[in-house]
């Protein structure tokens, strides 16, 4: 029986054959022209989708890459008589460099600010192109030498390269999806800070996404320049083109592989119709209104896009016709996680001196010192608002701090970025668990990176070995049945366990857990305590924030007590609970019960 997957992809060779054959059977220049413009838009949309769809960075400046590619090719052809084929490649290279620069400039911008910066960059390029008239012809425009080939070729010399480039762009886009690069980009889309905390060099991921997207669009811009043979800054650096690109992606299905192509095949004919059908001085404004309005309508009424909707219809159809997928086969157990036994290593894994962090006048962390040994569990307790989470945030680099030193496993980290701290072996969970809901549970486990390696980005999303290891970990947590589902469906407690398993993937030397047992069932809490004990056995240092003192007393060798940003007591649970300062700090909050069973 043909598998539904094969069947689903059967249309690709058919569509490609039809597009390849079209100019040969039909001599109609109008449709050849329409298809060339559709391919251009599809390349622009697929390129945009790598950054805007996969990584979630919406930009409104992508027509700048068409412009940059077009002008590079055009100028080389008009002034230096460079061959169009070479010119287009140089156009792509220029765009790659431009994209890399732009990604450096926008390294710290997100959301709306990113949209604005990319839009402004496009406008700026337009202004530069208009002003630098010696090079670009300015508002007079730039005429390219007319192509020399025989008229009987019609538009083939543009049609086929553009189609070929579209195929390459989609292939690269597909490859990115299946690679670790894609996995990282999707993680960035869900929660960029969390991804950085798991060791992902997010800036590098984003730069590669930007460069890949920009390069193909730049080459397409070069082909376009030759095709129209006349460049005009107002037309090339036009916001409407950017809007059309974004509209095609949103309409087809943002973040999908074929959505941008499908969207382009819908949007390009409409655009073509309006530009031939609308005349007069207001045509530009009307087009902008029309497509801007369409963009808004799609965002509101069809937020997922056409393709995902069609796909879910298909899935339902096949679910009825073919039956359900076989249940997960049982797997051999390979132990839980990367069991690098460091022995009972009692050397210091975390040394913190004089850490400070203020929010305005509020001293959330006020001169904190900590000493944690490996193979040891340390508790951190204190009333709500005493600064425990902020201390975690300063130690892991989420929140910058100018005062104090942080040493993990002998390495000074206070000047290191978040991924670097993860690479040094620092891992943490969050008070409210943060998982990548756009990925499967197995993929969530596999995302963390203990070190950055460029070559690794191109390997498979989840290798067979990684999958086997992840399934074994999930089996131990009783979550194997959810392996290929989104973690969105998990209970709060299960999410906490998955997050713990995720940080353990980093093979850390120090794990900081922020209220791991709060709000979870006793059974999960016991499982959690077991996992923490197994960490101690493997030589990992654990810093545990928890309100449940019985939980703390059952696990921890030592506790620090925090109040108003400062450490007010340190010692065994029994010692600190007896101290008057600790009792005072808790008065009016929860009284401190002295645990009967003593320390583990
Ligand atoms: P805990 O985890 O011990 O309950 P937190 O570290 O969350 O305490 O908070 C410590 C104090 O710092 C609180 O008063 C909180 O309101 C304040 N705080 C925490 N984060 C921020 C922030 N980003 N901006 C301003 N104030 C903050
Ligand atoms: Mg907290």
């Amino acid at each position: 029986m043909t598998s539904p997957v094969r069947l689903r992809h059967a249309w690709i060779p058919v569509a490609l054959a039809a597009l390849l054959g079209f100019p040969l059977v039909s001599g109609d220049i109008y449709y050849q022209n329409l298809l060339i413009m559709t391919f251009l838009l599809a390349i622009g949309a697929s390129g945009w989708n790598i950054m805007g769809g996969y990584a979630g960075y919406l930009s409104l400046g992508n027509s700048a890459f068409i412009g940059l590619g077009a002008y590079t090719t055009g100028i080389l052809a008009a002034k230096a008589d460079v061959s169009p084929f070479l010119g287009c490649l140089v156009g792509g290279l220029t765009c790659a460099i431009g994209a890399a620069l732009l990604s450096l400039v926008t390294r710290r911008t997100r959301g709306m600010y990113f949209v604005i910066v990319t839009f402004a960059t496009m406008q700026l390029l337009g202004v530069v192109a208009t002003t630098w008239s010696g090079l670009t012809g300015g508002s007079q425009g730039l005429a390219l030498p007319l192509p020399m080939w025989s008229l009987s070729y019609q538009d083939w010399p543009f049609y086929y390269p553009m189609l070929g480039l579209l195929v390459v762009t989609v292939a690269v886009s597909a490859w990115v999806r299946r690679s670790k690069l894609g996995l990282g980009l999707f993680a960035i889309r869900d929660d960029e800070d969390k991804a950085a905390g798991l060791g992902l060099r997010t800036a590098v991921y984003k730069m590669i996404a930007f460069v890949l997207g920009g390069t193909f669009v730049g080459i397409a811009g070069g082909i376009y320049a030759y095709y129209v043979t006349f460049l005009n800054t107002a037309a090339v650096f036009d916001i409407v083109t950017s809007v059309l690109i974004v509209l095609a992606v949103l309409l087809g299905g943002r973040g999908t592989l074929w959505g941008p192509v499908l969207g382009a095949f819908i949007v390009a004919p409409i655009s073509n119709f309006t530009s031939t059908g609308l005349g007069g001085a207001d045509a530009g404004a009307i087009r902008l209104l029309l497509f801007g309005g369409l963009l808004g309508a799609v965002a509101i009424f069809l937020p997922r896009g056409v393709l995902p909707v069609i796909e879910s219809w298909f899935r339902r159809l096949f679910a009825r016709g073919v039956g359900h997928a076989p249940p997960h086969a049982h797997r051999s157990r390979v132990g839980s996680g990367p069991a690098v036994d460091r022995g009972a290593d009692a050397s210091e894994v975390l040394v913190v001196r004089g850490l400070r962090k203020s929010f305005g006048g509020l001293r959330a962390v006020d001169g904190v010192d900590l000493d944690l040994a490996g193979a040891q569990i340390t508790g951190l307790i204190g009333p709500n608002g005493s600064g425990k989470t902020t201390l975690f945030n300063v130690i892991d680099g989420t929140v910058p701090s100018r005062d104090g030193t942080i040493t993990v496993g002998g390495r000074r980290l206070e000047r290191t970025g978040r991924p670097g701290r993860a690479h040094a072996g620092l891992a943490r969970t969050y008070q409210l668990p943060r998982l990548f809901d756009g990925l499967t549970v197995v993929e969530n486990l596999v995302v963390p990176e203990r070190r950055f390696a460029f070559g690794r980005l191109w390997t498979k999303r989840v290798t067979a070995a990684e999958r086997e290891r992840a399934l074994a970990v999930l089996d131990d947590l009783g979550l194997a049945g959810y392996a290929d589902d989104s973690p969105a469906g998990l209970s709060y407690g299960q999410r906490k366990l998955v997050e713990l398993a995720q940080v353990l993937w980093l093979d850390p030397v120090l794990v900081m857990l922020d209220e791991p047992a709060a709000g979870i069932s006793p059974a999960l809490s016991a499982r959690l305590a077991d996992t923490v004990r197994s960490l101690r056995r493997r030589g990992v240092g654990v810093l545990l924030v928890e309100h449940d003192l019985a939980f703390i007393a059952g696990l921890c060798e030592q506790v620090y007590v925090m109040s108003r940003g400062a450490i007010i007591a340190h010692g065994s649970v029994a010692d600190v609970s007896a101290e008057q300062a600790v009792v005072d700090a808790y008065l009016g909050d929860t009284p401190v019960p002295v645990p009967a069973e003593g320390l583990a």
Side-chain angles (χ1 to χ4, degrees), residues 194 198 338 427-430 433-435 444-445 448 473 477 479 493-508 511-514 516-517 520 524-525 527-535 538 542 544 551:
K194 161 99 187 185
L198 291 175
R428 64 93 54 105
T429 63
Y430 296 84
R434 286 161 68 167
L435 295 173
N444 264 275
L445 252 58
V473 173
L477 296 174
L479 294 171
Q494 287 170 327
R495 286 174 73 83
K496 287 206 157 183
L497 285 180
V498 171
E499 188 174 55
L500 181 58
Q502 186 178 47
V503 301
L504 297 187
W505 201 266
L506 272 175
D507 190 18
V511 178
M512 307 195 294
L513 306 173
D514 201 349
I520 75 174
L524 289 187
S525 168
R527 208 174 265 165
L528 184 90
D530 283 344
T531 310
V532 173
R533 283 197 196 91
S534 80
L535 282 176
R538 280 162 44 198
V542 179
L544 182 68
F551 189 84

Side-chain angles (χ1 to χ4, degrees), residues 379-433:
L380 177 63
I381 61 174
N384 280 325
S386 54
K388 305 180 295 295
T389 298
T390 306
L391 179 59
F392 273 25
N393 288 342
V394 174
I395 292 176
D396 90 336
T398 312
V399 162
S401 154
R402 260 172 282 133
D403 301 305
T405 64
I406 301 161
T407 313
V408 172
R411 280 178 59 188
R412 288 283 289 273
L413 291 182
E414 65 273 7
R415 299 264 168 274
T416 308
R418 294 202 74 195
R421 295 189 200 198
H423 298 169
L426 178 73
R428 64 93 54 105
T429 63
Y430 296 84
Q431 198 168 334
L432 298 174

